[in-house]
């Protein structure tokens, strides 16, 4: 387990380096190095001896031996991981890897030329392989799509997602229309130099110290946790945008989650974030409920002022939350963002379940975007070709983005219910109580609890959409 | 072979990151990650299946099959590496690793307190284990010390080193005394900012482009070759020193060697520098014969001028070559440097061969330093405790430093004999012909030729000390 954890860390280091430090001409060699790491990791994660150890432990337990609580979870998750990995035939795993690489390249070219037909064969193949993979991995009673979800979020049920995302779409669509009038999107021309000052001093305020953190720039912001005491976030800067402020808080949320996992779980199979949606909830909590709060806008405005850019807290806040329905997911505002995910969930589920022929994806995309977001899709490049995920063979990944928004809102309400309103603290840039509450109720568990069990333990309730709707209601003037 | 090459690249990346980028608190996790990499590498390098493959190939050759020239070398070196690695019992390998870690810590504390007695037990254990290791690894007729040498420089013979280093000591000692009068050491107060400009523009002139190189700062300058198209050198800056100029050219020489290995050898066991001494000859060639030449001093002086520091080429050259015998190796001048190595060679050979009791090392050190360098050793901290090598269990490593100086001088004479004097080119900062000659005669072979065979092929002669003596003679006014 320790070896697998260390191999995962090395993989993360090599990827971080590739995106942040590596000279471009090192790319071919790096792909080979990452390939070797993946192969060795797969080999060890599926080794027959793991099965022998699990059998030995099971026999000892049957004979009356006891395990400590943490060890019980280690064994439970080890069995789950090992069995899931072993269910995939070698040939299928190789086909998936090959189709993912080819699909990404096909997607890249097709998007560049706005040519869905050119992408169609690769997409059809990815759908077919994903379905086959899901069927292999599925446990008793699980559908192929549920098995795919399980790679990112173990235990999610399609029926629950249909219900939650269906209700979310119905409730959010009218709110979005109102909010785009009441809280329209505005741009703020913030020079990069001021953004840099604000990002650095804000992160420092949250505890980002050079002794155990790095903050760098990369084309796409991301977070790497290389090991205990080594957290690395990236952001990006462009003139006239405030994205750097939001993205640095977003990535901070991911990093803080991994940092506050119980040290006793380090180098075990439990010592990492439990799922994509809980991870995304942690980044969204800092992005939506801290960085986009009116109170914290005072801190951010002061930091921008120290960087030479004068702006009022109210103006800054308005720029951070302004709503405008658009065809593009990655630049979407906090209110319409989950609607983009509902579109993708509906469509990828229909693709995997065979209800939507792959060739009809562009028209189905236009229909769903019109119905849920009220926008016209100007081209496939800005429509169903905008994301790499399906080209890379990732199905079942999108839901975690919206679940992250919902879970963040639900956790934030639970946190404020226990600690009282955070408004005064946030106005002063005080986040210690928030960090501690998250550490205690969410982070420390690592993989010991799956998504829904963790959410219920932390918030006292099953997944609900109402906290998120209450969070965005003010944008629509409700 | 490709897998082992990629694992070595990942190890280099993780070490580079540790020294250049890693937050300090990541050190414990990094040590664990490097430990896992080393364990997996060892496991695969000594796998029984490699022996099966070698046997299969041997059988096919006996049956009349043929191998291409490169494949013959791959098989020859694979057998050598595999057999050497397999000769070390697991327990001894574990003891060596443990004693190396403990020895470095003991050395660190002993040096800090100038307390040789505190280091004695760890040193005695390292000598004993190194001897045992050498005896395990030794091939027919090899001594334990020769087997130790073989980890860094395969095929070196103790008798040859005794002869060469003996003659070198006798010839250099009187030259050093004269040179310290004729070409005394001078310091030049160069501000860091000017050094940075000069280092950057000089490296750019040599072909260091961001698309396939990185230049960073680290506590100790070093080079990492992470893969094709990904070379990374580091340097360090301190006010009033010109070390950054020398060290950046030195590291450039290491990097260029790896970059110019025949691409056909990439990801085989031949696709790396052949030995420590050839590697060191490549760094010393750029340090001694380019950076320290009067002609190239004109280029460096101009670059420093562009950085705001005015100095004449003659003054700069004098500062780069000034001679002063001192007790400390790492800051030694180009003439006395090899004498420090002769001292270490004599003493480590005597330790391994059991002729020098470990407890007598400090007095033997003082005697040798007086005899060869004419200096008094003020303390053991500045004497036999100054280097980490023996504390880390590395015996047989030191000779490559002096061999590097000798081989660099011998290659340089061969290069100028073929291309004519480089003076005019160096004055204009032109190094293309030097790069090409080294690529053609030294670099491209990778591990296909061992140290002495490569030297003879490239220079037409066996190892000699005269080229180096001719290189330093002008410093003594001869």
């Amino acid at each position: 387990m320790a070896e697998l954890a260390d191999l995962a860390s090395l993989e993360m280091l090599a990827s971080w380096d590739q995106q942040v430090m590596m000279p471009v001409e090192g790319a071919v060699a790096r792909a080979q190095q990452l390939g070797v790491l993946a192969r060795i990791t797969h080999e060890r994660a599926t080794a027959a001896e793991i099965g022998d150890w699990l059998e030995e432990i099971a026999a000892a337990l049957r004979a009356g031996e006891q395990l400590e609580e943490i060890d019980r979870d280690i064994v439970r998750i080890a069995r789950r991981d090992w069995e899931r990995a072993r269910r995939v035939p070698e040939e299928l795993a190789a086909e998936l890897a090959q189709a993912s690489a080819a699909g990404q390249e096909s997607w890249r070219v097709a998007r560049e030329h706005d040519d869905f037909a050119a992408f169609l064969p690769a997409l059809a193949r990815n759908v077919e392989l994903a379905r086959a993979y899901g069927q292999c991995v599925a446990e008793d009673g699980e559908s192929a799509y549920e098995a795919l979800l399980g790679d990112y979020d173990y235990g999610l049920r399609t029926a629950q997602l249909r219900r939650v995302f269906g209700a979310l779409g119905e409730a959010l669509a009218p709110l979005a229309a109102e909010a785009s009038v009441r809280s329209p999107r505005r741009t703020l021309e913030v020079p990069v130099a001021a953004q840099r000052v604000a990002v650095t001093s804000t992160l420092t305020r949250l505890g980002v110290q050079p002794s155990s953190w790095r903050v760098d720039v990369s084309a796409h912001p991301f977070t790497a946790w290389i090991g205990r005491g080594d957290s690395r976030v990236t952001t990006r800067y462009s003139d006239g945008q405030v994205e750097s402020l939001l993205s640095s808080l977003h990535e901070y949320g991911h990093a803080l989650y991994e940092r506050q996992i119980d040290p006793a779980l380090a180098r075990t199979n439990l010592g990492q974030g439990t799922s994509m949606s809980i991870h995304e909830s942690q980044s969204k909590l800092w992005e939506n409920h801290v960085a986009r709060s009116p109170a914290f806008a005072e801190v951010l405005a002061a930091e921008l002022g120290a960087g030479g850019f004068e702006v009022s807290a109210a103006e800054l806040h308005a720029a951070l939350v302004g709503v405008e329905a658009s065809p593009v997911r990655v630049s979407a505002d906090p209110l319409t963002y989950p609607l983009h995910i509902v579109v993708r969930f509906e469509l990828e589920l229909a693709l995997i379940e065979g209800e939507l022929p792959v060739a009809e994806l562009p028209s189905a995309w236009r229909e769903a975007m019109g119905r849920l977001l009220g926008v016209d899709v100007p081209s496939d490049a800005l429509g169903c070709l905008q994301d790499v995920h399906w080209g890379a063979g990732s199905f079942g990944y999108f839901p975690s983005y919206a679940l992250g928004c919902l879970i963040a809102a639900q956790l934030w309400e639970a946190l404020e219910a226990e600690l009282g309103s955070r408004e005064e603290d946030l106005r002063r840039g005080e986040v210690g109580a928030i960090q501690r509450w998250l550490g205690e109720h969410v982070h420390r568990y690592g993989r010991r609890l799956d998504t829904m069990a963790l959410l219920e333990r932390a918030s006292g309730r099953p997944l609900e959409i109402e906290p998120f709707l209450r969070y965005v209601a003010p944008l629509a003037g409700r």
Side-chain angles (χ1 to χ4, degrees), chain A:
Chain A
M1 295 298 126
E3 221 169 57
L4 286 172
D6 287 336
L7 286 169
S9 297
L10 287 161
E11 195 273 335
M12 211 168 252
L13 174 64
S15 299
W16 175 86
D17 182 84
Q18 179 170 31
Q19 293 172 74
V20 182
M21 294 293 163
M22 187 188 79
V24 289
E25 290 176 25
V28 172
R30 181 58 47 87
Q32 290 162 340
Q33 293 151 9
L34 286 168
V36 163
L37 263 187
R39 194 158 62 239
I40 291 174
T41 301
H42 177 78
E43 192 182 301
R44 288 172 120 79
T46 56
E49 59 185 350
I50 296 181
D52 298 340
W53 298 334
L54 290 169
E55 230 7 272
E56 235 177 85
I57 292 167
L61 293 175
R62 282 193 301 270
E65 286 193 49
Q66 300 281 318
L67 284 177
E68 306 269 325
E69 208 188 334
I70 288 182
D71 291 337
R72 266 205 304 276
D73 285 337
I74 289 175
V75 170
R76 178 173 57 84
I77 298 292
R79 178 172 289 282
R80 179 205 285 179
D81 289 345
W82 184 75
E83 288 181 349
R84 276 179 72 89
R86 297 271 290 190
R87 279 192 215 114
V88 187
E90 292 286 338
E91 316 83 71
L92 178 57
E95 274 185 289
L96 282 162
Q98 191 278 328
S100 170
Q104 287 178 69
E105 182 54 19
S106 165
W107 165 79
R108 199 186 56 72
V109 174
R111 186 176 69 154
E112 196 180 316
H113 298 96
D114 189 24
D115 181 1
F116 178 79
F119 180 48
L120 188 56
L123 179 61
R125 176 150 181 72
N126 279 353
V127 168
E128 190 187 308
L129 287 172
R131 193 184 295 133
Y133 171 84
Q135 284 162 351
C136 284
V137 171
E139 296 173 10
D140 287 347
E142 257 190 348
S143 71
Y145 186 70
E146 284 172 330
L148 292 169
L149 287 170
D151 275 355
Y152 311 104
D153 253 278
Y154 187 80
L156 290 193
R157 298 279 72 97
T158 305
Q160 183 184 26
L161 290 186
R162 274 191 208 270
R163 199 169 55 242
V164 168
F165 286 165
L168 186 65
E170 274 179 38
L172 268 190
L175 274 179
E178 293 168 40
S180 62
V181 177
R182 288 287 301 244
S183 310
R185 187 156 242 189
R186 313 156 195 232
T187 53
L188 206 59
E189 293 296 327
V190 188
V192 165
Q195 293 178 50
R196 281 186 193 274
V197 169
V199 163
T200 304
S201 49
T202 305
L203 289 176
T204 302
R205 192 185 277 278
L206 304 187
V208 172
Q209 297 295 334
S211 58
S212 68
W213 291 81
R214 286 193 61 92
V215 181
D216 294 281
V217 167
S218 64
H220 300 280
F222 72 105
T223 305
W225 36 97
I226 314 288
R228 289 190 59 75
D230 188 352
S231 306
R232 308 185 182 191
V233 296
T234 73
T235 188
R236 62 179 166 196
Y237 297 97
S238 42
D239 261 315
Q241 305 258 349
V242 283
E243 184 201 346
S244 62
L245 298 177
L246 295 170
S247 93
S248 55
L249 272 277
H250 180 103
E251 301 306 332
Y252 170 81
H254 283 303
L256 185 68
Y257 181 11
E258 295 285 333
R259 286 175 76 89
Q260 295 203 122
I261 291 172
D262 182 353
L265 308 183
R267 300 183 86 220
T268 76
N269 52 1
L270 307 178
Q272 52 178 292
T274 195
S275 69
M276 285 295 301
S277 63
I278 294 294
H279 238 297
E280 195 66 12
S281 79
Q282 295 311 293
S283 55
K284 281 290 174 189
L285 187 140
W286 290 89
E287 177 190 341
N288 283 350
H289 300 275
V290 177
R292 286 191 164 112
S293 70
F296 202 71
E298 299 191 16
V299 173
L300 294 174
E303 305 290 16
L304 285 172
F309 179 77
E310 295 301 331
V311 62
S312 74
E315 270 180 288
L316 178 61
H317 177 251
L320 290 170
V321 299
V323 173
E324 179 181 45
S326 105
V328 178
R329 174 182 67 87
V330 291
S331 54
D333 58 75
L335 193 157
T336 60
Y337 186 87
L339 290 171
H340 290 269
I341 302 305
V342 174
V343 169
R344 287 155 178 76
F345 164 72
E346 284 183 4
L347 297 177
E348 72 176 13
L349 177 60
L351 286 171
I352 296 296
E353 302 207 326
E355 287 163 12
L356 174 64
V358 178
E360 290 172 24
L361 179 63
S363 56
W365 185 280
R366 288 184 158 77
E367 183 281 321
M369 289 297 289
R371 170 168 46 86
L372 285 159
L373 281 128
V375 297
D376 286 333
V377 176
S379 66
D380 289 334
L382 293 171
C384 65
L385 288 175
Q386 71 184 265
D387 297 308
V388 68
H389 302 61
W390 296 339
S394 294
F395 296 85
Y397 185 116
F398 279 123
S400 64
Y401 291 129
L403 291 172
C405 298
L406 303 181
I407 294 170
Q410 187 165 335
L411 290 172
W412 185 256
E413 286 197 353
L415 180 158
E416 288 203 312
E418 189 174 331
L419 302 177
S421 165
R422 293 296 87 209
E423 198 181 328
E424 274 315 306
D425 271 13
L426 287 182
R427 206 182 301 287
R428 285 176 289 113
E430 279 290 337
V431 296
I434 299 171
Q435 292 167 332
R436 284 189 296 276
W437 192 92
L438 292 172
E440 177 64 21
H441 293 83
V442 180
H443 300 169
R444 69 186 172 97
Y445 293 104
R447 291 181 75 201
R448 298 187 66 188
L449 296 171
D450 292 318
T451 304
M452 293 304 166
L454 179 59
L455 177 61
E456 285 208 40
R457 169 102 48 121
S459 71
R461 309 187 58 88
L463 178 66
E464 295 174 328
I465 65 170
E466 288 72 21
F468 182 75
L469 295 177
R470 283 191 285 270
Y471 162 66
V472 294
L475 297 173
R478 294 204 186 167

